[in-house]
Amino acid sequence: MIPIIGLVIGIAIGVVLNPDVPLWLQPYLPIAVIAALDAIFGGIRATLDGIFNDKVFVVSFISNVIVAAFIVFIGDQLGVGSQLTTGVVVVLGVRIFANVASIRRHLFKA
């Protein structure tokens, strides 16, 4: 219940304050969101499997976001930012879909 309350409060703050993302940060934000979603779905899967650990989740969440953004940053510096961005999206997308499939199998016993 606490995570849902935190999500609602975070969305409300975002809607009220309407923050602007700095121009230099805009290429990294979508990748950071996808990396965060990967950690969230991994946490849900771990909860359903009965192996969730809050410390592991926090470290996974933060490290996923930092590593994904760093890979895109390196790609930008090398002049291949769009290719590395696509690679990160594909890898994290596969992980997200694998976690969602596991969650679905767990919930629907299918």
Side-chain angles (χ1 to χ4, degrees):
M1 187 64 168
I2 292 175
I4 293 172
I5 293 170
L7 178 64
V8 170
I9 291 171
I11 290 172
I13 290 172
V15 168
V16 170
L17 296 179
N18 195 17
D20 291 327
V21 177
L23 192 59
W24 63 270
L25 190 60
Q26 288 178 359
Y28 310 109
L29 187 61
I31 299 303
V33 169
I34 292 172
L37 285 173
D38 174 49
I40 290 169
F41 283 114
I44 293 169
R45 178 181 181 180
T47 299
L48 292 174
D49 290 342
I51 57 171
F52 181 79
N53 182 327
D54 56 345
K55 292 177 184 175
V56 171
F57 173 74
V58 171
V59 169
S60 172
F61 187 91
I62 293 170
S63 64
N64 274 7
V65 170
I66 291 172
V67 169
F70 182 69
I71 290 171
V72 174
F73 173 76
I74 294 296
D76 284 344
Q77 298 304 309
L78 295 173
V80 292
S82 62
Q83 289 90 346
L84 282 181
T85 299
T86 302
V88 169
V89 169
V90 168
V91 169
L92 292 175
V94 167
R95 287 173 44 111
I96 289 170
F97 280 108
N99 283 330
V100 169
S102 178
I103 292 167
R104 183 193 67 238
R105 283 191 300 272
H106 199 299
L107 291 177
F108 299 116
K109 308 290 189 256

